[in-house]
């Protein structure tokens, strides 16, 4: 196997290499071979009972590179890790780490070590120096950070595009394992300080507590969209060593060719140009989960100012469309004012929209990268992310809560529903996945997080009133600033703002993916001209549901808003017409997420 060497320059672990070690290596080789051959049956059988993940049974068996590495100390008693890595765009699945554990006889793969596992360590601020060479597409980075906390090893992840060049822990150089040649199981890991790398996984061991760590790394970045040249550079995806995508503040100094500019997140601290390079330093004092930069020969296609802020549209020099640029900056100006008035201060001095030849689109909180074709609608969505994703960070590991809320504030509130979001949101529930789980289901229903999420948020504002909803969102932004957040954190803000009124709403529409069906069981005429409509729902325990009952007759239609709290419940539905009504129906579209059932005909009754 090309991934293993039979001999190694590294120190051998004790004298008892032999049987157990050999079989560990053989087991690892067999797992890699099973993966490479897409032998899902064999692979699934290598897992501990009940611990085989979905991908081992066939799904997701394409496009990953399997490797093995010594397990990082401090994460259970695994002998080694089976690692699946691949280049990923931002907000991606994350690579998979499966511990290889000893059994009575031989070895087995165990359930995934979650990316969000507590390493004991935290890092608050990274300081980067990055050099981009567009002709080779090579990126050289030096990352310096201070480590807080205590743990056995610092587990990080870094795009497999990059290899480690040098790692310093405190004032000591770390031995590098797996950086110039594949890791060999069965060899002892050198004494600390040491940096062990395989695929996208990196772990450090040494005097880490309160230490300053410097990691130099380099690699060619040449994917569609995500690339370091030749015409421009867009780096968005795991180009920094991160601990489970936790939010960090950062400063970056970018070195690019002299005819380029470089845009980072946050504020421009300094810039300079010589005959050989353009240099810019940017600093983002907001802790976020995704660090993004754009560099290229961009020119300003349009610019406007509002509330002491600058709005710019940057385009490629050979594709400048001034009218499009003007629309972009006007939209941005209006959106920032709209959101700021409702959600709290926009945290930057500017907002830029940068055209990309082939990058689809990504929010970067103080700017956004967008393919020109979507700049007619996307800039204001990306601006919404400055609050949901930026001010309140989202890792995209557990749910896409911030896409639901951003789609709501942009499409439903700012664009007043004109983009069709509510229409598609009403019917978006293909798998019955709860909104709180859509990321962990790994891309099965991500589109639903946007559309259904926005629809559910709209249901919520009808339920509590728009003013209350805005106050909840604003409180959420204030209380979760810089803190990794998810639906329960929004729920906490709602509880505080409304006095614990809406847990039922989260239980039904965020933490569950089940949607009820309604049915009219009977309709009878009441004493005072109203109609008594008996409605049933199929869920047990029943959902609390708001909807409308429509009574239609030859001379008019009357709707009555009702709230159902029982499995079977009678409602008085008003009817203004004089002639006997012909049909009674339930209206749920735009109000709730229940299927309305068939209309009830009164003909002949
Ligand atoms: Zn978005």
């Amino acid at each position: 196997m090309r991934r293993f060497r039979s001999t190694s320059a590294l120190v051998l672990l004790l004298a008892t290499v032999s049987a157990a070690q050999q079989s560990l290596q053989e087991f690892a080789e067999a797992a890699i071979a099973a993966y490479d051959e897409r032998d899902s049956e064999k692979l699934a059988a290598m897992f501990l009972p009940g611990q085989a993940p979905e991908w081992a049974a066939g799904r997701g068996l394409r496009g990953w590179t399997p490797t093995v590495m010594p397990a990082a100390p401090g994460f259970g008693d695994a002998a080694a890790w089976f690692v699946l890595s691949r280049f990923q765009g931002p907000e991606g699945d994350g690579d998979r780490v499966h511990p290889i554990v000893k059994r009575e006889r031989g070895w087995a793969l165990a359930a995934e070590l979650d990316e969000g596992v507590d390493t004991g360590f935290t890092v608050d601020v990274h300081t980067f120096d990055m050099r981009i060479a567009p002709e080779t597409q090579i990126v050289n980075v030096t990352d310096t950070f201070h480590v807080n906390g205590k743990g056995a090893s610092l587990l990080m992840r870094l795009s497999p595009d990059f290899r480690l060049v040098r790692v310093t822990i405190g004032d000591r150089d770390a031995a590098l394992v797996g950086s110039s040649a594949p890791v060999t199981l069965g060899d002892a890991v050198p004494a600390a300080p040491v940096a062990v790398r395989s695929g996208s996984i990196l772990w450090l061991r040494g005097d880490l507590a309160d230490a300053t760590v410097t990691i130099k790394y380099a690699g060619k970045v040449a994917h569609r969209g995500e690339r370091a040249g030749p015409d421009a550079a867009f780096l968005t995806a795991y180009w920094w060593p991160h601990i489970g995508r936790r939010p960090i503040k950062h400063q970056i100094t970018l070195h690019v060719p002299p005819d380029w500019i470089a845009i980072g997140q946050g504020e421009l601290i300094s810039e300079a140009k010589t005959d050989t390079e353009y240099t810019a330093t940017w600093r983002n004092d907001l802790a976020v989960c995704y660090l993004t930069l754009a560099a290229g020969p961009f020119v300003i296609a349009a610019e406007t100012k509002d509330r002491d802020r600058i709005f710019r549209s940057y385009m490629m020099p050979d594709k400048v469309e001034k009218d499009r640029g003007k629309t972009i900056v006007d939209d941005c100006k209006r959106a920032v004012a709209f959101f700021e008035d409702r959600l709290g201060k926009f945290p930057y001095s500017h907002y830029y929209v940068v055209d990309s030849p082939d990058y689809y689109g990504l929010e970067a909180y103080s700017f956004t990268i967008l393919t020109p074709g979507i700049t007619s609608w996307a800039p204001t969505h990306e601006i919404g992310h400055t609050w949901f994703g930026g001010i309140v960070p989202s890792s995209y590991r557990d749910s896409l809560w911030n896409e639901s809320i951003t789609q709501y504030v942009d499409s439903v509130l700012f664009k007043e529903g004109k983009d069709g979001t509510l229409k598609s949101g009403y019917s978006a529930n293909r798998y019955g996945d709860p909104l709180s789980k859509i990321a962990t289901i790994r891309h099965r229903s991500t589109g639903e997080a946007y559309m259904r999420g926005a629809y559910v948020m709209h249901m919520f504002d009808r339920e509590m009133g728009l003013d209350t909803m805005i106050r909840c969102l604003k409180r959420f932004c204030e209380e979760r600033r810089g803190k990794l957040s998810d639906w329960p954190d929004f729920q906490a803000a709602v509880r505080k703002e409304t006095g614990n009124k809406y847990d039922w709403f989260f239980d039904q529409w965020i933490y569950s993916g089940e949607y009820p069906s309604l049915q009219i069981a009977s309709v009878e005429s009441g004493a005072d001209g109203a109609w008594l409509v008996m409605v049933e729902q199929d869920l047990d325990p029943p959902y609390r549901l708001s909807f409308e009952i429509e009574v239609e007759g030859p001379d008019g239609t009357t709707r009555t808003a009702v709230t159902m709290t029982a499995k079977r419940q009678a409602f008085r539905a008003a009817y203004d017409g004089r002639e006997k009504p012909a049909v009674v129906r339930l209206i749920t579209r735009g109000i709730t997420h229940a299927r309305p059932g068939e209309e009830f005909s009164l003909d002949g009754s």
Side-chain angles (χ1 to χ4, degrees):
M1 294 293 300
R2 60 191 151 77
R3 293 188 186 85
F4 294 91
R5 294 177 299 163
S6 53
T7 59
S8 165
L10 303 173
V11 187
L12 287 180
L13 176 68
L14 306 173
T16 58
V17 191
S18 64
Q21 293 291 357
Q22 277 295 335
S23 64
L24 171 62
Q25 178 132 338
E26 280 165 14
F27 179 85
E29 287 185 21
I32 288 173
Y35 181 89
D36 280 344
E37 290 155 17
R38 293 194 194 144
D39 190 340
S40 47
E41 236 170 75
K42 187 171 171 193
L43 200 52
M46 297 177 88
F47 277 85
L48 289 172
Q51 297 195 15
E54 206 177 52
W55 63 257
R59 259 177 70 88
L61 270 178
R62 282 161 183 268
W64 300 74
T65 302
T67 56
V68 289
M69 69 191 299
F75 299 91
D77 55 359
W81 285 348
F82 180 69
V83 177
L84 291 172
S85 303
R86 64 175 176 190
F87 167 75
Q88 315 207 4
E91 306 164 3
D93 275 357
D95 294 338
R96 288 113 195 253
V97 174
H98 289 277
I100 301 177
V101 295
K102 195 157 176 34
R103 287 198 295 186
E104 211 166 289
R105 275 192 218 113
W107 305 89
L109 293 165
E112 184 175 353
L113 180 73
D114 188 78
E115 187 182 338
V117 66
D118 184 7
T119 71
F121 292 113
T122 57
V123 173
D124 296 330
V125 185
H126 286 247
T127 303
F128 302 100
D129 189 272
M130 176 186 285
R131 206 166 280 279
I132 297 172
E135 52 310 328
T136 57
Q137 297 185 274
I138 300 280
V139 179
N140 270 281
V141 188
T142 303
D143 175 18
T144 306
F145 55 87
H146 184 82
V147 180
N148 309 308
K150 225 164 93 177
S153 51
L154 172 58
L155 172 60
M156 304 182 97
R157 294 170 188 238
L158 170 67
S159 165
D161 282 346
F162 296 102
R163 64 178 181 82
L164 300 185
V165 176
R166 186 176 177 185
V167 176
T168 314
I169 300 173
D171 54 5
R172 295 180 66 193
D173 270 351
L176 302 184
V177 175
S179 287
S180 54
V183 176
T184 307
L185 294 181
D187 292 331
V189 173
V194 63
V196 181
R197 170 117 165 120
S198 183
S200 63
I201 306 300
L202 160 67
W203 57 264
L204 309 179
R205 202 160 149 76
D207 290 330
L208 285 158
D210 224 21
T212 296
V213 172
T214 301
I215 302 180
K216 289 188 182 204
Y217 53 100
K220 182 172 180 172
V221 183
H223 310 276
R224 186 177 152 77
E226 179 93 5
R227 58 201 164 77
D231 55 337
F234 302 96
L235 296 183
T236 70
Y238 313 106
W239 57 262
W240 66 102
H242 61 93
I243 305 171
R245 308 185 217 177
R246 286 196 174 82
I248 49 168
K249 298 177 181 177
H250 78 286
Q251 176 167 314
I252 184 163
T253 298
L254 289 150
H255 306 265
V256 298
D259 56 333
W260 282 23
I261 62 162
I263 298 169
Q265 280 175 356
E267 300 298 330
L268 181 64
I269 304 301
S270 65
E271 63 180 336
K273 194 170 139 173
T274 67
D275 290 345
T276 54
E277 71 172 28
Y278 167 88
T279 311
T281 298
W282 292 82
R283 191 176 72 215
N284 193 4
D285 289 331
L286 210 56
V288 297
C289 297
Y290 288 96
L291 314 187
T292 299
L293 59 100
F298 310 127
V299 296
I300 298 171
E303 179 177 302
T304 189
K305 286 187 183 158
D306 189 42
R307 302 185 181 183
D308 286 331
R309 293 193 190 96
I310 297 174
F311 299 87
R312 278 184 190 156
S313 157
Y314 279 104
M315 297 185 180
M316 296 295 280
D318 56 338
K319 292 204 174 82
V320 175
E321 300 166 66
K322 287 198 180 297
D323 288 348
R324 183 166 62 84
K326 190 171 175 336
T327 306
I328 290 171
V329 295
D330 285 345
D331 286 350
C332 290
K333 184 173 85 174
R334 284 190 306 116
V336 166
F338 181 90
F339 295 139
E340 179 170 73
D341 289 345
R342 288 157 180 80
L343 305 169
K345 197 172 183 323
F346 181 80
Y348 302 109
S349 67
H350 62 278
Y351 194 83
Y352 300 158
V353 176
V354 183
D355 267 13
S356 153
D358 57 356
Y359 197 106
Y360 182 70
L362 188 69
E363 67 272 21
Y365 322 119
S366 57
F367 72 102
T368 179
I369 299 166
L370 296 172
T371 191
I374 63 171
T375 54
S376 59
W377 60 267
T380 61
H381 173 96
E382 309 306 356
I383 287 172
H385 276 306
T386 300
W387 284 267
F388 306 107
I391 291 171
V392 187
S394 168
S395 70
Y396 285 76
R397 279 194 294 104
D398 300 316
S399 88
L400 306 185
W401 68 266
N402 65 318
E403 293 299 353
S404 302
I405 297 181
T406 299
Q407 189 80 11
Y408 166 71
V409 297
D410 177 51
S411 294
V412 180
L413 300 186
F414 180 67
K415 293 183 179 129
E416 297 174 337
K418 286 172 192 147
D419 66 359
T421 288
L422 293 178
K423 197 165 174 241
S424 37
Y426 178 69
S427 47
N429 189 19
R430 187 165 165 205
Y431 301 99
D433 295 335
L435 286 171
S436 61
K437 292 252 163 70
I438 279 182
T440 52
I441 290 158
R442 292 194 145 131
H443 298 266
R444 186 165 74 179
S445 43
T446 47
E448 294 184 12
Y450 292 73
M451 300 302 171
R452 171 155 48 104
Y455 184 90
V456 163
M457 289 295 289
H458 175 59
M459 281 163 54
F460 208 177
D461 84 35
R462 285 185 60 109
E463 206 57 66
M464 65 165 70
L466 184 57
D467 288 352
T468 309
M469 169 60 94
I470 299 289
R471 283 205 312 277
C472 290
L473 289 170
K474 188 172 184 185
R475 181 184 271 255
F476 179 47
C477 291
E478 285 163 2
E479 295 190 348
R480 299 301 300 176
R481 189 183 181 94
K483 295 176 187 151
L484 188 60
S485 299
D486 209 324
W487 285 114
D489 304 299
F490 178 54
Q491 184 177 12
V494 171
R495 275 186 187 151
K496 283 188 193 164
E497 196 60 46
T498 65
N500 295 323
K501 271 203 211 140
Y502 293 102
D503 281 359
W504 63 270
F505 188 93
F506 284 88
D507 289 342
Q508 286 181 195
W509 305 116
I510 306 292
Y511 305 130
S512 163
E514 265 197 302
Y515 292 165
S517 291
L518 298 175
Q519 191 186 325
I520 300 174
S522 64
V523 178
E524 286 168 29
S525 86
D528 51 359
W531 290 79
L532 290 176
V533 181
M534 180 64 78
V535 183
E536 294 172 347
Q537 61 167 303
D538 62 345
L539 288 189
D540 207 4
Y543 271 21
R544 179 189 171 95
L545 296 169
S546 296
F547 53 90
E548 290 174 358
I549 300 176
E550 183 173 275
V551 184
E552 185 188 324
D555 55 350
T557 300
T558 309
R559 280 193 187 184
T560 305
V562 300
T563 298
M564 182 176 200
T565 54
K567 205 164 156 45
R568 186 178 159 84
Q569 196 168 344
F571 299 98
R572 284 166 45 84
Y575 176 60
D576 298 335
R578 276 186 225 150
E579 301 283 324
K580 187 188 166 200
V583 171
V584 178
R585 60 177 76 88
L586 306 179
I587 308 294
T588 57
R589 182 182 287 275
I591 308 172
T592 189
H593 221 309
R595 286 167 284 262
E598 287 184 15
E599 60 185 30
F600 192 96
S601 171
L602 290 164
D603 288 346
S605 62

